[in-house]
């Protein structure tokens, strides 16, 4: 439909009641792009309307190498989304009215780069999805203000953000080149047997507890000489930094000297970062999983016998279930789920771990006999996890010396400067031999989790006054990055510290809803369901998040590990 028809329609519904806005749904051809009004809000106080724009990719005139593969398209889409948010953000609420009138809302990107439904590059098109609050006075349409948004503000934002000749081409080139360097560095890590890399000069501390921007004036990272490796990247050329080898790495040091800061950087190194973040060249194995205790979490049919056996209540730890896990059982379950999900690197911080799960000192072993203690601590299993399952551990420790005995590499953080103290500690350990370690034989956990969809039923009266039960449609309500409600069930993801954006939670919620409605049948295991969801994402891409005939903005592709974690925390019978 020509955009002139949209202008006519706007004039015809002015001063009518708000539902008349629904007549605008459809696609309209503007000069250079197609505007689609996908969903119209019910009233000016409701969630804003969904809009999208489609531009022919050839008209945007990006260099061919910027759209040549999935990495390039994801990186370019992220850059363009940031440009559009900045350009159009200047016009938000410039149109006036009641409630959300005049709101123009675009996904807010953080320091990480990943695929988002808000901006997608397909084979032929650039698609941008966003929200607009359709203006009204009270609940009476003010179409003149919407006309200003659609015919004045929006075209200016499109021209500024999506055409190569209007962009800062050097800034875009730096953005694209960095992504290629990050990918090259990941491949180097994999080939060289490294679990992670931290570049010399990296800025690890963040601005504040609520900001992920780099701290001004922070001490730049400088690798210890023995751990320094040198690599040659496609665009930056030769760089150096600390390579963390596979095996067991211990990070120690006094309080406030940067131990957790280093671990925080490593846990987010599973994502690419934007230029200027400070951690652009902090790269961690993409399967690395941060683990912690989660008192009170739900566990269903999980084999935690690798760590916990012979409970006084005779509960079977090979198929352990609880609605209210302790710190130790929750952390044991988290590690087993990480093994099942395919993690190759575990990241742990003693401060956020259950003490009795992590270590049991020699004196305690003498006081409490082994047969009276059901927990085999992590310190006794870490070496076996590496040698038998190929899973490395990077552990921050601040209070117990027991971890020194199992470490391959020991890094001391001293005023945010890493010092390799491996050799010195190994010499000291000769004077402090490890305690006798009695434990059950190592055995990989078995998978028992069959997923059953809880049947949610809603009662209502039919035409004849009879009570009728029918399945209730599952509804989603996200709770920021901490989790979501699916029907009446809350899935708590607050302990999944590697979720970088609330839009990943939104995507996980939609994936789990799809699983409940289409995949969970009482026969498939949790792993079967997770793999089928992963296949759906790979097959459909961002179009998976289609609802009501359109793809909604506000979803970002999560990692498989966080999706698996959500399935494990879904309370089911």
């Amino acid at each position: 439909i020509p955009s002139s028809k949209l202008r006519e329609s706007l004039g015809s519904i002015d001063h009518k009641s708000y539902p008349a806005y629904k007549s605008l749904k459809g696609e309209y051809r503007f000069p250079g792009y197609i505007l689609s009004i996908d969903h119209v809000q019910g009233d000016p106080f409701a969630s804003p309307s969904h809009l999208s724009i489609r531009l022919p990719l050839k008209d945007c005139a990006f260099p061919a190498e910027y759209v040549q593969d999935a990495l390039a398209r994801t990186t370019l889409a992220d850059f363009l989304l940031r440009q559009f948010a900045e350009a159009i953000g200047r016009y938000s609420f410039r149109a006036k009215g009641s409630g959300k009138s005049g709101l123009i809302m675009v996904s807010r990107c953080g320091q990480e780069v990943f695929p988002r439904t808000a901006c997608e590059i397909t084979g032929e098109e650039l698609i941008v999805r966003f929200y607009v609050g359709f203006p009204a006075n009270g609940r009476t349409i003010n179409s003149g203000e919407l006309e200003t948004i659609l015919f004045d503000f929006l075209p200016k934002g499109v021209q500024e953000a999506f055409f190569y000749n209007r962009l800062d081409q050097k800034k875009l080139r730096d953005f694209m080149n960095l992504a290629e360097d990050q990918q090259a560095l990941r491949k180097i890590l994999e080939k060289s047997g490294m679990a992670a890399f931290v570049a010399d000069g990296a800025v690890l501390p963040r601005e504040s507890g609520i900001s992920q921007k780099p701290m001004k004036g922070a001490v730049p990272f400088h690798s210890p000489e023995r751990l320094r490796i040198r690599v040659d990247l496609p665009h930056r050329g030769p760089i150096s930094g600390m390579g963390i080898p596979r095996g067991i790495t211990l990070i120690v040091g006094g309080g406030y000297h940067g131990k957790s800061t280093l671990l925080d950087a490593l846990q987010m190194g599973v994502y690419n970062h934007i230029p200027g973040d400070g951690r652009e060249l902090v790269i961690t194995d993409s399967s690395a999983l941060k683990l912690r205790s989660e008192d009170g979490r739900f566990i269903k049919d999980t084999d935690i016998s690798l760590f916990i056996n012979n409970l006084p209540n005779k509960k079977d730890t090979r198929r352990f279930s609880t609605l209210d896990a302790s710190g130790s059982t929750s952390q044991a379950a988290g590690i087993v789920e990480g093994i099942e999900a395919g993690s190759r690197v575990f990241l742990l911080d003693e401060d956020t771990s259950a003490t009795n799960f992590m270590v049991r000192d020699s004196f305690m072993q003498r006081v409490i006999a082994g047969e009276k203690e059901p927990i085999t601590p992590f310190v006794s299993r870490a070496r076996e996890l590496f040698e038998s399952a190929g899973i490395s551990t990077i552990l921050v420790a601040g209070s117990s010396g027991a971890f020194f005995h199992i470490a391959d590499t020991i890094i001391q953080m001293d005023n945010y400067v890493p010092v390799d103290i491996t050799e010195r500690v190994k010499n000291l350990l000769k004077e402090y031999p490890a305690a006798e370690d009695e434990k059950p034989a190592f055995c990989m956990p078995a998978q028992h989790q069959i997923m059953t969809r809880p049947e949610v039923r809603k009662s209502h009266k039919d035409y004849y006054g009879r009570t009728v039960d029918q399945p209730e449609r599952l509804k989603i309500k996200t709770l920021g990055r901490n989790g979501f409600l699916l029907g009446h069930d809350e899935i708590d993801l607050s302990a999944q510290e590697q979720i970088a954006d609330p839009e990943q939670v939104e995507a996980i919620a939609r994936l789990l809803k799809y699983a409940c409605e289409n995949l969970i049948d009482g026969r498939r295991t949790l792993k079967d369901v997770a793999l089928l969801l992963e296949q759906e994402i790979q097959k459909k891409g961002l179009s998976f998040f289609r609802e009501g005939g359109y793809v909604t903005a506000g979803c970002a592709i999560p990692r498989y590990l966080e999706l698996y974690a959500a399935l494990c925390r879904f309370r089911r019978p």
Side-chain angles (χ1 to χ4, degrees):
I1 304 173
S3 59
S4 58
K5 292 291 185 183
L6 175 59
R7 199 187 291 268
E8 290 176 14
S9 297
L10 286 168
S12 68
I13 63 173
D14 196 24
H15 295 100
K16 291 188 176 180
S17 62
Y18 205 86
Y21 264 139
K22 293 188 181 296
S23 65
L24 301 180
K25 281 183 64 176
E27 294 186 347
Y28 303 92
R29 184 172 296 282
F30 280 71
Y33 63 90
I34 292 174
L35 170 69
S36 178
I37 299 175
D38 299 317
H39 170 76
V40 177
Q41 64 205 87
D43 65 63
F45 301 92
S47 297
S49 303
H50 296 238
L51 277 68
S52 60
I53 287 173
R54 305 202 319 268
L55 300 88
L57 200 54
K58 60 181 177 60
D59 292 351
C60 300
F62 296 112
E65 62 268 25
Y66 287 8
V67 294
Q68 65 185 347
D69 55 27
L71 173 70
R73 289 191 293 273
T74 296
T75 307
L76 177 59
D78 184 273
F79 179 86
L80 297 177
L81 184 60
R82 294 171 193 271
Q83 301 308 301
F84 183 59
E86 183 179 343
I88 203 68
R90 295 193 290 269
Y91 301 108
S92 188
F93 287 118
R94 289 264 296 271
K96 304 299 182 183
S98 310
K100 294 183 174 64
S101 294
L103 169 68
I104 306 175
M105 188 167 68
V106 182
S107 287
R108 208 181 234 183
C109 300
Q111 302 298 100
E112 298 80 17
V113 177
F114 31 68
R116 297 175 185 266
T117 54
C119 189
E120 179 182 6
I121 296 174
T122 66
E124 304 293 334
E125 290 183 319
L126 168 65
I127 307 171
V128 187
R129 304 177 178 101
F130 54 101
Y131 304 97
V132 172
F134 283 10
N137 297 321
R139 285 181 169 81
T140 300
I141 287 174
N142 187 339
S143 64
E145 294 290 274
L146 182 57
E147 184 175 340
T148 300
I149 293 172
L150 301 182
F151 287 85
D152 183 9
F153 299 162
L154 199 52
K156 289 176 182 176
V158 169
Q159 286 297 320
E160 284 185 47
F162 300 127
F163 293 93
Y164 183 64
N165 61 0
R166 296 290 300 272
L167 297 170
D168 183 333
Q169 294 176 15
K170 181 182 181 306
K171 183 178 178 181
L172 173 56
R173 186 171 63 252
D174 291 344
F175 212 88
M176 302 298 293
N177 289 350
L178 174 59
E180 291 184 8
D181 281 347
Q182 289 166 335
Q183 184 183 48
L185 189 46
R186 291 187 191 282
K187 290 180 178 177
I188 291 169
L189 283 187
E190 192 172 339
K191 288 179 181 177
S192 61
M194 294 285 173
F197 174 85
V198 184
D200 287 331
V203 177
L204 306 187
R206 299 294 91 187
E207 193 173 59
S208 70
I210 58 172
S211 170
Q212 285 299 300
K213 293 182 179 179
M215 179 185 288
K216 294 177 181 177
V219 177
F221 190 87
H222 187 73
S223 173
E225 195 56 42
R226 189 183 74 87
L227 297 176
R228 178 174 284 114
I229 62 173
R230 291 169 175 81
V231 297
D232 197 6
L233 300 181
H235 300 288
R236 293 209 179 189
I239 66 165
S240 64
M242 182 175 75
I244 298 179
R246 296 194 180 274
I248 302 171
T249 298
L250 197 59
I251 302 171
V252 299
Y256 305 100
H257 278 257
K259 304 186 301 297
S260 295
T261 299
L262 174 56
L263 192 70
D264 289 346
L266 293 173
Q267 76 184 39
M268 300 314 291
V270 298
Y271 301 110
N272 284 355
H273 287 70
I274 62 173
D277 173 71
R279 304 166 299 181
E280 304 97 307
L281 296 177
V282 178
I283 303 295
T284 309
D285 184 305
S286 59
S287 72
L289 181 62
K290 175 68 183 300
L291 294 156
R292 59 176 298 161
S293 66
E294 299 176 63
D295 294 273
R297 69 153 282 194
F298 168 80
I299 299 171
K300 173 71 171 175
D301 289 341
T302 302
D303 182 359
I304 60 172
S305 61
L306 186 62
F307 297 99
I308 299 175
N309 285 285
N310 304 319
L311 291 174
N313 59 12
K314 306 300 181 185
K315 205 166 187 178
D316 184 4
T317 60
R318 291 169 300 176
R319 298 189 68 147
F320 184 79
S321 299
T322 180
L323 296 173
D324 187 19
S326 66
S328 57
T329 54
S330 67
Q331 197 154 2
I335 288 174
V336 169
E337 291 158 3
I339 294 171
E340 293 169 348
S343 178
R344 297 182 297 271
V345 180
F346 288 157
L347 309 173
L348 296 99
D349 191 329
E350 197 181 4
D351 282 352
T352 56
S353 296
T355 303
N356 62 335
F357 174 78
M358 293 299 291
V359 67
R360 190 163 171 258
D361 66 32
S362 56
F363 189 77
M364 183 62 75
Q365 290 181 44
R366 293 183 65 181
V367 173
I368 306 297
E371 63 270 17
K372 297 295 184 182
E373 175 52 72
I375 300 174
T376 301
F378 181 79
V379 70
S380 299
R381 291 296 194 198
R383 174 59 53 193
E384 294 169 320
L385 282 170
F386 178 59
E387 293 178 352
S388 300
I391 300 173
S392 299
T393 295
I394 301 175
L395 169 65
V396 167
S399 61
S400 175
F403 299 111
F404 289 114
H405 290 279
I406 65 166
D408 300 308
T409 304
I410 304 167
I411 301 165
Q412 178 186 349
M413 295 302 292
D414 185 358
N415 284 313
Y416 289 90
V417 176
V419 181
D420 175 24
I421 60 171
T422 307
E423 187 175 347
R424 179 164 66 87
V425 172
K426 294 294 184 186
N427 289 330
L428 281 172
L429 288 176
K430 295 172 185 176
E431 303 174 27
Y432 300 91
E436 291 289 329
D437 189 12
E438 296 181 10
K439 61 191 175 189
F442 181 88
C443 182
M444 288 292 283
Q447 240 275 351
H448 302 293
Q449 297 164 295
I450 303 295
M451 293 205 73
T452 306
R453 179 181 182 267
E455 190 65 46
V456 181
R457 305 195 71 81
K458 186 177 183 180
S459 298
H460 71 284
K461 299 288 186 182
D462 67 6
Y463 178 79
Y464 300 101
R466 296 172 300 192
T467 300
V468 178
D469 281 350
Q470 65 181 28
E472 184 178 1
R473 188 170 179 266
L474 288 170
K475 294 182 180 179
I476 293 170
K477 181 181 180 182
T478 54
L479 308 170
R481 68 158 306 282
N482 291 324
F484 57 93
L485 291 170
L486 180 61
H488 302 296
D489 295 301
E490 180 176 352
I491 291 83
D492 182 3
L493 298 177
S494 57
Q496 305 310 300
E497 297 179 18
Q498 289 165 289
I499 292 177
D501 195 289
E503 292 193 359
Q504 291 176 302
V505 176
E506 179 71 30
I508 291 170
R510 290 170 182 268
L511 284 159
L512 187 48
K513 178 178 183 288
Y514 177 86
C516 285
E517 295 172 346
N518 299 279
L519 302 178
I520 298 174
D521 58 4
R523 297 187 301 274
R524 290 188 174 112
T525 66
L526 188 150
K527 193 167 188 177
D528 291 336
V529 173
L531 289 171
L532 286 169
L533 287 172
E534 182 77 355
Q535 289 169 16
E536 285 291 306
I537 286 290
Q538 291 175 358
K539 182 171 65 176
K540 296 179 181 176
L542 294 170
S543 65
F544 175 88
F545 301 102
R546 183 174 297 278
E547 183 176 300
Y550 64 96
V551 176
T552 180
C555 291
I557 300 292
R559 292 198 308 160
Y560 176 77
L561 285 99
E562 279 72 51
L563 172 59
Y564 198 91
L567 288 167
C568 291
R569 286 155 181 76
F570 179 39
R571 293 177 183 263
R572 52 202 185 280

